[in-house]
Amino acid sequence: MAAAIALADEAGLGAMTMKAIAVRLGDYSPMALYRYVHNKEGLVDLMLDAATAEIPLPARPGGDWRSDLYGLAMDSRRMTHRHPWYAQLVHTRPPAGPHMMRRLEFMLTVLTGEGATVAAAMTYAALVDRHILGSGLQEAEEARLDRRYGLDDTAKLVAAIRALHGLAVADGGVPHLAGWLAQPTGFTADEQFALGLDFLLDGIARRLAKPAEE
Amino acid sequence: MAAAIALADEAGLGAMTMKAIAVRLGDYSPMALYRYVHNKEGLVDLMLDAATAEIPLPARPGGDWRSDLYGLAMDSRRMTHRHPWYAQLVHTRPPAGPHMMRRLEFMLTVLTGEGATVAAAMTYAALVDRHILGSGLQEAEEARLDRRYGLDDTAKLVAAIRALHGLAVADGGVPHLAGWLAQPTGFTADEQFALGLDFLLDGIARRLAKPAEE
DNA sequence: CGGGGAAAGTGTACGTCATATACGAATCGT
DNA sequence: ACGATTCGTATATGACGTACACTTTCCCCG
């Protein structure tokens, strides 16, 4: 499992073949792995839960629900940053790993501690996780494209953007987009993530404030 | 392309093989497709843009930015609901289809019309899209699991939840989750989507209100 | 109308994967 | 030291995407 994680970290999901994993473990045959894992899906399940286990989880909520959730989201994001494959794989398997459960339980505890029903807390947690995973997915895609085309430098990236820009200009009718592509500046990915997270937490806060909602 | 879309709609991405597409078009050979498409990725690009084209796009913004974005998000969601594969594929390809560009341009127009910079508008649009696609991805996963195990009835679903519940109880330490699994009620997917969308739009509204932000 | 060339479609072959099955080798407890 | 269990391999199969060379079909022009 560690070998599979290392492989996927370094070379992407596509490189994580049973053969490659076996070789990395010491020039074994691919079939040797099947002594320890039912099939590749089983291996993926292990990887997902192992990665989830890397997210530090306080033993119990601190006093402030908002910073509890904010911190958990940030730690989760850091993990998806270390393991870009996480966001890609998590949607391919039922979510039943023990560490995933404990993480969700933590969020539920924090939210119900503020008066939310469990049902509402599930929804809020789902919204926050959607944000985290969506962000992770986008960055994983960028990493993949980087790997595929020029990893060496930003030269090719610039060329790609220029090509896009050419398309946009040729299209006509997309002036804002064309303008932005000419000079693509703006929020960093981290700022964007924090902003979205704040929006969601603000919304949750407003709902927690009104008692006896539903 | 239409055949590929129909196949993916009906039987999932896994069934969308070049052979299956060719057969659906009239018992052709798989290789016949390569006269019209460079490779499968090219076909996927076409599918993505064709699906994006299904999202109705007003010629120009209406008066109310919020309902413009709300409507667009809802229409987009309806499309991802018709085409569950969309959310799965969109993250595997660079986002350069002309209809995608036009859709993004619409969002930028709406937001910059309210005083946002293009950079800020890009961020807001990304946040909303992340929500839409995350939601679509989750529902696609459910559809996939449904297809894979008992499509016939909810009996197997209940069994699966019961199994999860068993795990959760056995785990101990996850009381809220175990309780919810025993009686999984709460927001519908539509309610959850609308709630998250409102959170995001609220956040954007607050930022638009403050002039000269950054 | 008939011939020539482009367009359309096919057959075959290859490489990569995951994985089933059957077999051999190593190791460990007694 | 021996026998069983555990570990690893060899081989084969069936998807799949797709390169390449070939044949068929069709249409346009003289």
Side-chain angles (χ1 to χ4, degrees), chain A residues 87 91 129-139, chain B residues 91 130 134:
Chain A
H91 288 286
D129 277 349
R130 188 171 298 172
H131 182 61
I132 297 169
L133 293 174
S135 168
L137 209 45
Q138 192 169 327
E139 286 170 32
Chain B
H91 287 287
R130 188 173 296 171

Side-chain angles (χ1 to χ4, degrees), chain A residues 77-88:
Chain A
R77 172 173 163 80
R78 268 187 280 280
M79 184 276 287
T80 65
H81 200 264
R82 276 196 301 278
H83 305 303
W85 44 267
Y86 187 90
Q88 301 176 257

Side-chain angles (χ1 to χ4, degrees), chain B residues 29 31-32 35-36:
Chain B
S29 143
M31 293 313 292
R35 289 277 161 195
Y36 306 91

